Amino acid sequence: MAAAPHCDVVLVHASASELCRMFARSPDLGRVRPLLLADDRPASVTHAYAAMKVLTQRAGLVVHDLLLGAAPQSPRTERIAMQIATCADDFLGAV
């Protein structure tokens, strides 16, 4: 944020643990919103949930967005989004 103070959006691609290290003590923590990336394969969804858990528990980041890459007709996309949202709400106190 200090490197680009006039920008509204700064995209940082890193592992969840690296993001925790970078942003956990940031005075602007309330402005940070992680973007979880996943596709519709089970392993990818599990990885996105694990990242959300790490970011929530270690850095206190409780608001997340999800970018789910899937075929337009995939029958799993809605269910995956609901599962991620339910897990965030029920187990992590996140959205």
Side-chain angles (χ1 to χ4, degrees), residues 17-74:
S17 58
E18 276 296 304
L19 290 172
C20 288
R21 185 186 64 75
M22 287 188 281
F23 294 112
R25 294 184 186 96
S26 172
D28 295 316
L29 187 63
R31 296 176 54 204
V32 175
R33 178 167 297 163
L35 174 62
L36 305 171
L37 304 174
D39 61 33
D40 61 350
R41 293 174 296 160
S44 182
V45 175
T46 299
H47 185 77
Y49 173 74
M52 180 174 53
K53 183 176 180 180
V54 168
L55 292 165
T56 299
Q57 292 180 342
R58 291 187 190 169
L61 295 166
V62 296
V63 178
H64 305 84
D65 286 315
L66 173 66
L67 178 60
L68 183 61
Q73 304 305 324
S74 175

Side-chain angles (χ1 to χ4, degrees), residues 1-12 23 28 30-34 65:
M1 289 178 208
H6 301 294
C7 294
D8 292 328
V9 176
V10 176
L11 183 62
V12 178
F23 294 112
D28 295 316
R31 296 176 54 204
V32 175
R33 178 167 297 163
D65 286 315

